[in-house]
Each structure stands twice: as structure tokens, then as C-alpha cells.
């Protein structure tokens, strides 16, 4: 392994690296820094945690001058949070070189950011919408940029920023160096690379070790009809923190409903806005719930280190996806297991995965999966009694008793529940103010609440239920009446307060979601006329 100095970064930047306590370059830094310092475009598949920020920032800081009065480098990132984080890292790394940087992002005063730019900066980190806006308003002149970076390019494209990216990249001088970092190399990322880059050096670096010895791989032959039963058995082996992968969003929806009575679970699929995905991920990372049910598209770049078990409820069609999925476990020195449910038609795929991973995949019964005991933040409510389940159709979601401990925790500390909802202006997407939490009387029984989402928002009953329970686990949601612009749902009194506080003020598309107690006089019969149920 080389040292930072051997990689060729400037001595002032190397001093800052030393102060940061980085003793050795990470693999992505070893690969990207020399190519960048030679002036080559760099296209890297690398996730958060690989040291990717240093991989592009160190050569940029080594190559650009200080104090020219106009920015010579631009870093584009998908969210305000990431832009701020990158700028903090760059600030730290420019301690001795003296480069000045600023982060510009939506949801904050454009005037303040503009005046910072006016005072002169060498490097701008920004979200695409705000950068474009500031260029159009004449606050930001990028005509002296010689170094451009697209960080988390896949996410920027997922969030619909391609038009902004085209606008910004077109405005940059042709004679420049460009780096593109992305967790995946999806076709749209490759297309963007072809558009914005010239003959890039391509790197593939991953924090994951998909073939890690720490991950034991199993497969269970199963017919379609018994998949759910097998899943229940596998999840019942201790209380493993689990990601269940499905091939379709519809299957994710079905599993959420089926598991909802017994396990704290949440869904993650491509139709969910990024902010909701972030909220679910935060709760999963913090061990607030046990089972994440996801499609591949939503699971790209999932950054979580302590997953015990990956279940391929539907086996993936190719070995790349298989490796990516099972790479979610067996990380950071912890053991993990990956289990694939394989139907007769699919059993040839196992040898394909074995070839790809270079490891044997053991045939087992569901009850042979090792017992894994995960320490959850609040162990009691994570797994409800593991009773024999009968198949439930989505339409049969019935009122569950509240999970007492979870509810109590939230009741005791409502601030904690509201802290889970996204902060206003977390991204550049429209955000509106948080409405007042409803006052819900605390007594036994249930309460009917009204949410301002419905068919007009393209939602089904299942999706409304998911929106309400995402990451909050056992809220005990009961009947749901789906209406056009608003819907009704039933909750136990003592979880209603926490749920409304967590939901009020969240965004759905451009809408701010509000929940309030339904008017007393609304009865189910009337509601079903006003808001007929069904998907
Ligand atoms: P990133 O992948 O850029 O989000 O970096 C993940 C974390 O690793 C950040 O906290 C960095 O400060 C840190 N880091 C980056 N490079 C190194 C290194 N060479 N040695 C130690 N820590 C590093």
C-alpha cells in the first residue's frame, strides 16, 4: 500500500490528511488519485464509506490554485445533507493549502450563499437545482472551472436531476477534468459518463465483500405457495436483522402486509420518494425495526453494516445482483447469512451464483438456518409473539393490538418520534411547514384519523398503510377508508399521538402530509360512501 505522499498529492494537502488522522489511503484513493493527478477523467463505482470524498477531493485540491476570485472546481451532490458533509471534509483537507469552499443547496437563504460566493471561493459544492438557479441568477460563474465532480451520480439521476446536470455540465469549459462517482453503474449512469467525460479511467471499488467468508450462503428449495411459510420459519431463527429482497414492488407490498402483525418491518421500493427512503434507512440503521423488504432498485448503495440475514425471497436473475444483495451482510467483521428461496424452475441459478462467488451454496431446510440474536434498540417490541400465521390477503388488514413498549417509549418522548421525520428543506424538493400535532385523547380503544392522501395522489390502501407505518413498526393500524383527496384510518388511541407526530409535516411528492382526528360525526358507513375502500 502506498502512502499519500507517494500517490503524489501536494505537500500542504498531505499535511491536512495527516491532521485528519488518515494514515493510509483507502483502495479507491490508491486507484483514483494517481489517475486524477495525471489529468485523467475518473469514473468510479464506489459507495459511501470507501473514502470516495478524499479520492476526488485530494487531487482536486492538489491541482487547483488558490484565490483566483472565481471557482475552479465544482462538486455536485444529490442532497443538502451530502453537500454539507462534503464541504466539511474539503474544509478540513484545505486547512494548509488555504482553498476556500462553500456549499450551496436549496431550502436555505440564497442571499447568504450568494454573498459568500461574491467574497470569492475556489471550490463550490452544491446540489444541482440550487447550482443551476444561482447560475441563472448570475450569482455563480463557472467559466473558470477546471475540475468537475459528480458525486452519487446514480442518486442524482434517480432524483430527476438530469436536466439540471446537462445545464451545468454544458456551461463548464470543455477543457476540464471530470470525476464521476456512483454506487452503481446503471445504464443511465454510463450514459451520463459518456456525455460528460472523456476517455475516463474506470474503477470498481466496493466496501462490500460479496464473497466474504463471513457470509454463509444457503438455498431452500420451495414451491411458490410455501415461500411465505418458509420466510416465517427463517425469520423465527432468533431475531435476525434482515433484508428480504423481492423482484417486484407488488411483492414488497404483499409481504409488508403479511408480516405486519408479527414483525416490525418497513418497505423500500423505487416508487418511494428519496426522503422517505432515507427515513426508512435511518430507522433500519438505528435498529428501530427488524425486517426491511426491498426491491433491488431501492437497495442500491444501501449503507448499513450490521445486517445478519439477507433473504432472496425471489432469486435475482443475474449473479451481479446476487452478489450485490448478499454483500449487504457479512460486513465490518460480522458474520452473516444469505438464504435464497429457489423454485424448481430456478434451481440452475444456484450453480451460476456459486461460480460468481466462488463459494458453495448449501442446500438446507428453513429450520436449519443458524439462530441469530440481534441486539435491537428496543428489543421487546421488535418481534411480537411468533404465532402460527394464516395467509392474509391485503384487504384483510385487521386492527392489531398496539405494541405496548414501543408506543410507551414514543409517548414518553414525543420529541424522539418527531425527530425521525425529515427536517424541512432536507433536500431541494418542495418542503412546507410542519403543521401542529393533533391532540388525541389517550384512552383505551381506537381513534379514527384523517390523512390528506388518497387516490388523487395515486395511492392504494396498501400504500397508505405503508406510508403510515414506514419505519415506525407496529402501529396497530386498523381499517382504512381510501378517498379521493383524503383517507381515514383507524389506530389504537395510545399509538395515534406518536404516529401523527411522526407523519405530520412529511412530504409526499410536493404535498405536505397532515393527519388529524376525523370529525366525530363521520361513521364508517358514511365514510365508505364518501371514501369507498378497496385498492
Ligand atoms: P467517504 O466514503 O468519503 O464518505 O468516507 C468515509 C469516512 O472515511 C469519512 O469519515 C472519511 O473522513 C474517512 N476516511 C476517508 N479516507 C480515509 C483514510 N484514508 N483513512 C481513514 N479514514 C478515511
Amino acid at each position: 500500500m502506498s502512502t499519500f505522499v507517494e500517490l503524489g498529492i501536494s505537500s500542504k494537502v498531505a499535511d491536512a490528511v495527516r491532521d485528519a488522522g488518515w494514515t493510509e489511503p483507502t483502495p479507491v484513493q490508491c486507484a483514483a488519485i494517481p489517475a486524477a493527478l495525471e489529468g485523467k477523467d475518473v469514473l468510479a463505482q464506489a459507495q459511501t464509506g470507501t473514502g470516495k470524498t478524499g479520492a476526488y477531493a485530494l487531487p482536486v485540491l492538489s491541482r487547483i490554485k488558490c484565490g483566483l476570485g472565481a471557482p475552479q472546481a465544482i462538486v455536485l451532490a444529490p442532497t443538502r445533507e451530502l453537500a454539507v458533509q462534503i464541504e466539511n471534509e474539503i474544509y478540513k483537507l484545505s486547512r494548509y493549502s488555504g482553498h476556500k469552499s462553500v456549499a450551496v443547496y436549496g431550502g436555505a437563504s440564497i442571499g447568504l450563499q450568494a454573498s459568500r460566493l461574491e467574497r470569492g471561493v475556489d471550490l463550490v459544492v452544491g446540489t444541482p437545482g440550487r447550482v443551476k438557479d444561482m447560475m441563472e441568477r448570475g450569482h455563480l460563474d463557472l467559466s473558470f472551472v477546471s475540475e468537475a465532480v459528480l458525486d452519487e451520480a446514480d442518486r442524482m439521476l434517480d432524483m430527476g436531476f438530469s436536466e439540471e446536470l446537462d445545464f451545468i455540465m454544458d456551461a463548464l469549459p470543455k477543457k476540464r477534468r471530470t470525476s464521476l462517482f456512483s454506487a452503481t453503474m446503471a445504464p443511465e449512469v454510463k450514459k451520463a459518463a459518456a456525455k460528460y467525460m472523456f476517455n475516463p479511467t474506470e474503477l470498481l471499488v466496493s466496501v462490500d465483500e460479496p464473497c466474504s467468508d463471513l457470509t454463509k450462503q444457503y438455498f431452500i428449495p420451495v414451491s411458490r405457495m410455501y415461500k411465505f411459510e418458509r420466510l416465517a420459519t427463517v425469520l423465527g431463527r432468533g431475531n435476525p436483522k434482515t433484508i428480504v429482497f423481492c423482484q417486484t414492488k407488488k411483492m414488497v407490498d404483499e409481504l409488508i402486509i403479511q408480516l405486519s402483525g408479527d414483525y416490525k418491518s418497513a418497505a423500500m421500493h423505487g416508487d418511494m420518494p428519496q426522503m422517505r427512503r432515507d427515513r426508512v434507512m435511518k430507522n433500519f440503521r438505528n435498529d428501530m425495526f427488524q425486517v426491511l423488504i426491498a426491491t433491488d432498485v431501492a437497495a442500491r448503495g444501501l449503507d448499513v453494516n450490521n445486517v445478519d440475514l439477507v433473504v432472496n425471497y425471489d432469486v435475482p436473475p443475474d449473479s451481479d445482483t446476487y452478489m450485490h444483495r448478499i454483500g449487504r451482510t457479512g460486513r465490518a467483521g460480522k458474520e452473516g447469512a444469505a438464504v435464497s428461496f429457489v423454485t424448481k424452475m430456478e434451481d440452475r441459478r444456484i450453480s451460476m451464483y456459486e461460480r460468481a462467488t466462488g463459494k458453495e451454496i448449501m442446500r438446507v431446510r428453513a429450520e436449519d438456518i443458524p439462530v441469530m440474536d440481534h441486539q435491537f434498540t428496543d428489543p421487546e417490541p421488535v418481534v411480537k409473539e411468533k404465532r402460527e400465521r394464516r395467509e392474509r390477503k391485503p384487504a384483510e388488514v385487521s386492527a392489531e393490538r398496539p405494541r405496548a413498549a414501543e408506543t410507551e417509549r414514543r409517548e414518553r418522548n414525543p420529541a424522539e418520534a418527531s425527530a425521525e421525520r425529515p427536517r424541512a428543506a432536507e433536500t431541494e424538493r418542495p418542503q412546507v411547514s410542519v403543521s401542529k400535532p393533533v391532540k388525541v385523547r389517550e384512552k383505551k380503544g381506537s381513534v379514527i384519523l384523517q390523512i390528506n392522501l388518497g387516490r388523487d395522489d395515486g395511492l392504494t390502501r396498501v400504500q397508505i398503510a405503508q406510508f403510515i407505518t414506514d419505519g415506525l413498526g407496529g402501529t396497530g393500524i386498523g381499517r382504512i377508508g381510501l378517498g379521493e383527496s383524503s383517507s381515514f384510518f383507524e389506530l389504537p388511541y395510545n399509538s395515534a399521538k406518536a404516529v401523527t407526530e411522526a407523519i405530520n409535516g412529511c412530504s409526499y411528492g410536493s404535498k405536505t402530509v397532515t393527519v388529524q382526528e376525523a370529525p366525530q360525526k363521520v361513521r364508517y358507513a358514511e365514510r365508505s360512501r364518501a371514501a369507498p375502500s378497496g385498492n
Side-chain angles (χ1 to χ4, degrees), residues 217-281:
Q217 300 175 61
Y218 306 96
F219 78 96
I220 299 174
V222 65
S223 73
R224 240 164 230 294
M225 238 170 78
Y226 293 107
K227 272 193 187 184
F228 184 74
E229 250 177 50
R230 300 291 176 274
L231 178 65
T233 308
V234 168
L235 290 177
R237 308 289 296 154
N239 58 344
K241 180 164 173 170
T242 304
I243 305 180
V244 178
F245 281 102
C246 300
Q247 211 52 33
T248 62
K249 183 179 140 308
K250 187 165 171 280
M251 184 50 79
V252 171
D253 287 344
E254 271 177 36
L255 281 186
I256 275 285
I257 299 270
Q258 287 185 299
L259 287 175
S260 67
D262 292 344
Y263 293 94
K264 286 183 82 176
S265 48
M268 184 104 128
H269 53 68
D271 285 358
M272 284 164 62
Q274 188 61 44
M275 211 157 61
R276 269 182 70 211
R277 293 194 215 172
D278 291 346
R279 178 160 66 109
V280 170
M281 268 324 291

Side-chain angles (χ1 to χ4, degrees), residues 14-326:
D15 287 344
V17 165
R18 193 199 51 232
D19 278 11
W22 301 359
T23 48
E24 270 182 1
T26 65
V28 70
Q29 290 164 355
C30 282
I33 293 173
L37 288 173
E38 274 178 37
K40 290 187 178 142
D41 283 1
V42 171
L43 172 61
Q45 184 174 354
Q47 295 163 4
T48 301
T50 52
K52 66 183 167 68
T53 316
Y56 60 73
L58 295 175
V60 166
L61 290 171
S62 300
R63 282 167 63 86
I64 62 172
K65 293 202 171 63
C66 257
L68 286 193
Q72 298 154 72
I74 174 95
V75 179
L76 296 166
T79 62
R80 158 198 174 133
E81 207 179 31
L82 186 62
V84 169
Q85 191 185 309
I86 294 167
E87 202 274 328
N88 281 338
E89 188 111 321
I90 287 173
Y91 176 79
K92 194 169 73 179
L93 296 172
S94 51
R95 180 171 183 184
Y96 297 106
S97 61
H99 290 102
K100 290 198 170 65
S101 54
V102 65
V104 300
Y105 43 79
S109 159
I110 201 163
L112 282 178
Q113 293 171 1
S115 69
R116 181 77 190 84
L117 283 167
E118 248 167 54
R119 277 180 272 140
V121 298
D122 306 299
L123 195 150
V124 176
V125 184
T127 48
R130 179 54 63 96
V131 168
K132 177 173 180 257
D133 192 9
M134 296 191 89
M135 289 167 74
E136 286 173 330
R137 293 182 193 213
H139 295 312
L140 183 55
D141 175 8
L142 295 180
S143 53
F144 293 92
V145 164
S146 55
E147 297 277 336
V149 180
L150 294 114
D151 196 354
E152 299 203 0
D154 52 347
R155 216 165 139 199
M156 287 198 277
L157 294 167
D158 271 358
M159 289 169 76
F161 282 132
S162 63
E163 192 199 310
E164 285 85 352
L165 292 179
D166 282 348
F167 178 90
I168 299 163
M169 298 307 281
D170 277 354
L172 299 183
K174 294 281 163 284
K175 198 166 172 301
R176 61 157 200 268
R177 201 186 65 78
T178 306
S179 296
L180 187 153
F181 283 69
S182 178
T184 66
M185 278 300 144
E188 61 274 23
V189 175
K190 288 191 175 151
K191 229 158 76 189
K195 246 193 306 189
Y196 307 141
M197 308 179 84
F198 174 71
N199 197 17
T201 300
E202 292 190 33
L203 311 171
L204 169 60
V205 185
S206 174
V207 267
D208 308 328
E209 293 174 54
C211 315
S212 156
D213 286 335
L214 294 168
T215 304
K216 297 276 176 286
Q217 300 175 61
Y218 306 96
F219 78 96
I220 299 174
V222 65
S223 73
R224 240 164 230 294
M225 238 170 78
Y226 293 107
K227 272 193 187 184
F228 184 74
E229 250 177 50
R230 300 291 176 274
L231 178 65
T233 308
V234 168
L235 290 177
R237 308 289 296 154
N239 58 344
K241 180 164 173 170
T242 304
I243 305 180
V244 178
F245 281 102
C246 300
Q247 211 52 33
T248 62
K249 183 179 140 308
K250 187 165 171 280
M251 184 50 79
V252 171
D253 287 344
E254 271 177 36
L255 281 186
I256 275 285
I257 299 270
Q258 287 185 299
L259 287 175
S260 67
D262 292 344
Y263 293 94
K264 286 183 82 176
S265 48
M268 184 104 128
H269 53 68
D271 285 358
M272 284 164 62
Q274 188 61 44
M275 211 157 61
R276 269 182 70 211
R277 293 194 215 172
D278 291 346
R279 178 160 66 109
V280 170
M281 268 324 291
K282 185 177 151 211
N283 289 344
F284 191 53
R285 227 180 270 122
N286 292 340
D287 287 343
M288 301 277 289
F289 66 95
Q290 186 184 357
V291 186
L292 179 71
I293 306 168
T295 57
D296 292 302
V297 77
R300 284 198 255 153
L302 276 188
D303 178 26
V304 52
N305 275 330
N306 58 354
V307 174
D308 304 298
L309 175 67
V310 166
V311 177
N312 290 316
Y313 194 79
D314 300 313
V315 283
D318 57 80
S319 38
D320 273 1
T321 311
Y322 178 81
M323 307 245 288
H324 184 259
R325 286 183 182 185
I326 75 164

Side-chain angles (χ1 to χ4, degrees), residues 212-498:
S212 156
D213 286 335
L214 294 168
T215 304
K216 297 276 176 286
Q217 300 175 61
Y218 306 96
F219 78 96
I220 299 174
V222 65
S223 73
R224 240 164 230 294
M225 238 170 78
Y226 293 107
K227 272 193 187 184
F228 184 74
E229 250 177 50
R230 300 291 176 274
L231 178 65
T233 308
V234 168
L235 290 177
R237 308 289 296 154
N239 58 344
K241 180 164 173 170
T242 304
I243 305 180
V244 178
F245 281 102
C246 300
Q247 211 52 33
T248 62
K249 183 179 140 308
K250 187 165 171 280
M251 184 50 79
V252 171
D253 287 344
E254 271 177 36
L255 281 186
I256 275 285
I257 299 270
Q258 287 185 299
L259 287 175
S260 67
D262 292 344
Y263 293 94
K264 286 183 82 176
S265 48
M268 184 104 128
H269 53 68
D271 285 358
M272 284 164 62
Q274 188 61 44
M275 211 157 61
R276 269 182 70 211
R277 293 194 215 172
D278 291 346
R279 178 160 66 109
V280 170
M281 268 324 291
K282 185 177 151 211
N283 289 344
F284 191 53
R285 227 180 270 122
N286 292 340
D287 287 343
M288 301 277 289
F289 66 95
Q290 186 184 357
V291 186
L292 179 71
I293 306 168
T295 57
D296 292 302
V297 77
R300 284 198 255 153
L302 276 188
D303 178 26
V304 52
N305 275 330
N306 58 354
V307 174
D308 304 298
L309 175 67
V310 166
V311 177
N312 290 316
Y313 194 79
D314 300 313
V315 283
D318 57 80
S319 38
D320 273 1
T321 311
Y322 178 81
M323 307 245 288
H324 184 259
R325 286 183 182 185
I326 75 164
R328 307 296 105 200
T329 186
R331 293 168 67 155
K334 287 193 71 204
E335 287 190 353
V339 182
S340 301
F341 292 171
V342 185
T343 62
K344 249 203 167 66
M345 306 272 286
E346 296 162 338
D347 66 0
R348 255 181 298 162
R349 294 197 197 170
I350 292 299
S351 43
M352 179 172 92
Y353 305 149
E354 282 181 329
R355 275 197 304 278
T357 57
K359 300 236 154 53
E360 189 193 347
I361 305 179
M362 278 173 284
R363 179 189 172 122
V364 289
R365 296 173 311 157
E367 48 275 37
D368 296 330
I369 298 299
V371 171
M372 283 167 277
D373 279 313
H374 194 95
Q375 293 304 307
F376 285 93
T377 314
D378 192 1
E380 275 314 302
V382 166
V383 187
K384 218 181 163 187
E385 61 197 289
K386 286 174 189 158
R387 57 190 156 82
E388 278 298 303
R389 298 188 55 78
R390 67 187 173 86
E391 288 275 317
R392 279 201 296 179
K393 293 189 203 85
E396 291 176 18
V397 189
S398 62
E400 301 277 356
R401 272 182 292 116
R403 284 153 210 261
E406 166 69 357
T407 308
E408 235 177 73
R409 185 179 66 75
R410 290 176 184 284
E411 293 285 324
R412 272 201 313 270
N413 189 2
E416 203 178 325
S418 50
E420 280 160 24
R421 73 177 172 243
R423 279 176 295 133
E426 205 162 29
T427 72
E428 291 195 305
R429 297 305 181 204
Q431 299 286 314
V432 211
S433 61
V434 173
S435 58
K436 275 195 199 147
V438 281
K439 285 200 181 78
V440 174
R441 279 159 296 149
E442 292 177 32
K443 61 177 191 183
K444 285 209 171 89
S446 59
V447 64
I448 313 276
L449 300 173
Q450 183 173 17
I451 187 167
N452 65 336
L453 294 175
R455 278 202 195 87
D456 289 351
D457 304 287
L459 291 170
T460 63
R461 258 191 325 155
V462 171
Q463 287 166 329
I464 297 257
Q466 259 176 247
F467 187 88
I468 294 161
T469 56
D470 262 349
L472 292 171
T475 52
I477 189 165
R479 286 178 289 178
I480 296 172
L482 181 72
E484 301 303 324
S485 59
S486 72
S487 304
F488 298 94
F489 62 100
E490 193 174 37
L491 278 184
Y493 270 109
N494 49 358
S495 54
K497 190 175 166 197

